[in-house]
Amino acid sequence: MSRPPLNPNHDPAAPGDGQGSSRDKAGASGGRPRPAGIIVISIVVVLEALALLTAGALYIYELVTGAPVASFWGAVFTLGLLLAFSALLFAVGHFLFRGYRWTRAPALVAQLFALTIGFPTITAGLVFAGLAMVVPALAAIVFLFDKRVVAFASRAGGSRGVL
């Protein structure tokens, strides 16, 4: 009988053999330790997702209590967008923490949207609310371009072996 080919992505210290996975000890991306920037960016993105989810919940409350709207179906569409973007940001935060490559672009776009909303909020006189949007977004953008974060978040979607 022939032996099956070795999978280069196979982890020899699988969780089932009692030794624990080397991926659990060193981070999720090929044995490199998880940089602090990944943790900061993931927290910022998840907090933005929670903010959108909260806005969606308040939007639902206002629609149910009969708050006046110009177009009911327009309000439903806006609610759907809030919930969809919240779900997207939750996924981005989760998979960025695990080191997936595709998450860097949506994380950057979300931070640029936060800056786009935060700066006019500051100039409108709501300084605290504007700073609460601008400061985390700037920190996340700086960390997104850190070489350790880029190196860690370079895992492709299919890098884990099937068998």
Side-chain angles (χ1 to χ4, degrees), residues 38-56:
I38 287 287
I39 297 169
V40 170
I41 299 166
S42 298
I43 289 172
V44 167
V45 170
V46 167
L47 287 176
E48 289 169 348
L50 284 172
L52 285 177
L53 191 63
T54 302

Side-chain angles (χ1 to χ4, degrees), residues 32-114:
R32 292 184 297 267
R34 181 174 285 117
I38 287 287
I39 297 169
V40 170
I41 299 166
S42 298
I43 289 172
V44 167
V45 170
V46 167
L47 287 176
E48 289 169 348
L50 284 172
L52 285 177
L53 191 63
T54 302
L58 291 173
Y59 211 78
I60 289 173
Y61 173 74
E62 289 184 8
L63 282 175
V64 169
T65 58
V69 293
S71 167
F72 176 76
W73 292 111
V76 170
F77 178 75
T78 303
L79 173 64
L81 284 179
L82 282 172
L83 297 178
F85 287 145
S86 176
L88 173 71
L89 285 179
F90 276 121
V92 167
H94 171 73
F95 287 110
L96 181 67
F97 187 77
R98 292 180 57 192
Y100 281 85
R101 177 183 314 170
W102 64 269
T103 57
R104 293 186 312 228
L108 177 63
V109 170
Q111 303 322 307
L112 293 176
F113 279 140

